[in-house]
Amino acid sequence: MTRMQDAALRARALKVIPNGMYGHESVRLLPDSFPQFFSKAEGAYIWDADGNRYLDYMCAYGPSLLGYRDERVEAAARAQAALGDTLTGPSPAMVELAETLVAMVDHADWVMFCKNGTDATTMAMSSARAQTGKRIVLVAKGAYHGAAPWCTPIPAGTVAEDRAHVRTYAYNDVASLEAAVADAGDDLAAIFASPFRHDAFIDQEAPDPAYARRARALCDTTGAMLIVDEVRAGFRIARGSSWADLGVAPDLSAWGKCFANGHPISALLGSDSCREGAGAIYATGSFWLSAVPMAAAIETLRIIRETDYLEHMIRLGDRLRAGLDTAAAGSGFVLRQTGPVQMPQIMFEGDPDFRVGYAWAEEMLARGIYVHPWHNMFLCAAMTEADIDRTIAAARDAFGAIAARRDELVPHAVLVAMAAAMATPETAG
Ligand code: PMP
């Protein structure tokens, strides 16, 4: 597998893009052989700039739900594009899409559209503050809610005041949540929660129903808003709110990534309990009301309602998890496979510095399978049983290959440097 084009693009990028790349799609923290640039995608597959094809277990970090370039969604997008996209006002599609989401997501009485997940989580925070007239927001320690100054995990370029009223609690830990709420006194605006604990670098955790219910009750007694950040997990757990099964309804939920199957749109959904606050904030963007992503979303949501895309992904995820466990055991490895099977986190037992995980990801990449060593992955509905079986077969070979050179594996230099920086008191937490 050659990556000459990728190397050339990286060299050019270094001159015209800071560090050659930024943010979550930078390969800085991925194994060295991972390509940075991709030239095309179709269904469950991506092609790098050199034309190498991979079965993609990242799905663009979430946006590809039905598979890349799903023809049904693309036809809807093309039809709208023929009429217009970014106009002087929104298209009728905006109202239809808002009605669709309100019908599908139990707690929602209204919707505001935006572009990225960060827009939606930031609007959630502002709406909660406007609604309550209070300042403090609680977030689970280590949870990701976006890249704005109030929530970015890398504080460079922000000031302490940006986070002055953002405090943390431990996910799934009722006592810690209660203590944080008590500490906030009568100044609590909101509690943020992810549908499940999907932080990077650690095992994923299902939400403890007692924690979810307590968060709701604490918001009820204090008047604070409960915000569920569905940006990553939304519509991959359920066809509506991810906490509906727990019987817990948030006041606000932030959605993004996949509900237009890769077309750029996100949304803040809210209950009447926060309608006034949401109506009071000034929220907008030049591209937020573009019609093409809305048309794509309406079609994606129809497919979500009318097909077994979710059950299909779960079936494949179960097959993958079982197959990988068996394959790993064959070479003496024990995997830590956590999270919902359709959003798997795969790490190795006894691999604190990720050297085995990185080596395995590189061996998988060399076999045409793109897996991530420390971020949760995503299945998509375009994957097939044959894709899963091919993955398991490749994994068996990859486990064998790393077992043979286990003593020679070294940790990834950039990851080690980052872990050391995180361990210093100034940047911890
Ligand atoms: N919340 C969660 C849970 C996310 O996973 C992400 C993106 N990974 C965001 C918010 C921010 O979304 P975006 O990158 O689209 O701004």
Side-chain angles (χ1 to χ4, degrees), residues 84-141:
D85 186 15
T86 305
L87 313 174
T88 302
S91 83
M94 180 182 186
V95 182
E96 185 183 344
L97 179 56
E99 288 168 346
T100 303
L101 285 165
V102 164
M104 289 175 71
V105 177
D106 281 352
H107 84 87
D109 297 312
W110 54 262
V111 185
M112 292 168 80
F113 296 105
C114 33
K115 204 84 296 189
N116 287 285
T118 307
D119 302 330
T121 57
T122 302
M123 279 163 67
M125 179 185 67
S126 303
S127 300
R129 285 178 171 160
Q131 179 71 35
T132 60
K134 303 191 176 165
R135 294 180 295 179
I136 295 173
V137 301
L138 302 181
V139 300
K141 199 170 164 58

Side-chain angles (χ1 to χ4, degrees), residues 15-371:
K15 294 189 183 144
V16 292
I17 295 165
N19 298 323
M21 188 47 57
Y22 47 88
H24 72 294
E25 290 191 354
S26 161
V27 294
R28 198 173 59 98
L29 281 179
L30 284 176
D32 295 338
S33 60
F34 271 51
Q36 178 67 77
F37 295 98
F38 293 91
S39 53
K40 64 172 187 172
E42 183 80 47
Y45 288 84
I46 46 175
W47 282 257
D48 69 18
D50 290 274
N52 302 306
R53 188 183 84 141
Y54 311 96
L55 176 58
D56 179 19
Y57 281 97
M58 287 313 288
C59 294
Y61 286 76
S64 173
L65 176 71
L66 306 172
Y68 294 107
R69 303 180 62 237
D70 180 274
E71 185 42 36
R72 299 159 293 184
V73 177
E74 293 315 298
R78 278 196 305 273
Q80 180 60 52
L83 300 173
D85 186 15
T86 305
L87 313 174
T88 302
S91 83
M94 180 182 186
V95 182
E96 185 183 344
L97 179 56
E99 288 168 346
T100 303
L101 285 165
V102 164
M104 289 175 71
V105 177
D106 281 352
H107 84 87
D109 297 312
W110 54 262
V111 185
M112 292 168 80
F113 296 105
C114 33
K115 204 84 296 189
N116 287 285
T118 307
D119 302 330
T121 57
T122 302
M123 279 163 67
M125 179 185 67
S126 303
S127 300
R129 285 178 171 160
Q131 179 71 35
T132 60
K134 303 191 176 165
R135 294 180 295 179
I136 295 173
V137 301
L138 302 181
V139 300
K141 199 170 164 58
Y144 186 72
H145 295 299
W150 70 273
C151 58
T152 172
I154 311 262
T158 68
V159 294
E161 286 83 351
D162 291 324
R163 295 157 184 268
H165 303 292
V166 179
R167 299 189 186 168
T168 58
Y169 66 93
Y171 194 88
N172 267 344
D173 183 336
V174 170
S176 129
L177 181 62
E178 286 173 344
V181 169
D183 225 37
D186 65 359
D187 203 11
L188 183 65
I191 299 174
F192 270 88
S194 310
F196 67 95
R197 191 175 186 202
H198 48 41
D199 307 352
F201 298 108
I202 60 165
D203 294 335
Q204 314 292 280
E205 269 179 51
D208 180 344
Y211 150 73
R213 285 188 205 117
R214 191 72 185 120
R216 179 67 269 170
L218 288 165
C219 286
D220 290 341
T221 50
T222 58
M225 299 289 115
L226 179 61
I227 302 168
V228 174
D229 180 352
E230 298 267 17
V231 171
R232 194 180 311 178
F235 296 124
R236 276 194 156 84
I237 307 288
R239 289 181 173 78
S241 171
S242 295
W243 276 9
D245 271 4
L246 303 179
V248 175
D251 300 286
L252 295 163
S253 53
W255 301 71
K257 291 200 185 274
C258 79
F259 73 85
N261 201 46
H263 287 268
I265 186 166
S266 62
L268 175 64
L269 276 57
S271 309
D272 282 334
S273 58
C274 199
R275 191 188 282 263
E276 216 180 305
I281 66 167
Y282 186 68
T284 190
S286 297
F287 300 104
W288 282 16
L289 306 174
S290 301
V292 167
M294 292 188 182
I298 290 168
E299 179 62 4
T300 303
L301 291 166
R302 183 194 66 75
I303 296 166
I304 285 174
R305 287 193 309 279
E306 294 180 7
T307 71
D308 72 343
Y309 82 104
L310 183 56
E311 293 71 22
H312 174 69
M313 291 195 305
I314 293 171
R315 262 195 312 274
L316 296 186
D318 280 331
R319 189 179 181 92
L320 179 67
R321 187 161 288 187
L324 290 181
D325 270 341
T326 308
S331 292
F333 292 108
V334 176
L335 296 179
R336 296 211 313 267
Q337 302 198 71
T338 58
V341 292
Q342 66 276 30
M343 292 179 70
Q345 175 89 310
I346 303 179
M347 300 189 304
F348 286 73
E349 199 63 67
D351 186 32
D353 60 15
F354 292 90
R355 68 180 73 185
V356 180
Y358 270 62
W360 184 66
E362 286 207 291
E363 293 287 352
M364 292 297 279
L365 191 82
R367 291 165 176 79
I369 317 270
Y370 192 107
V371 295

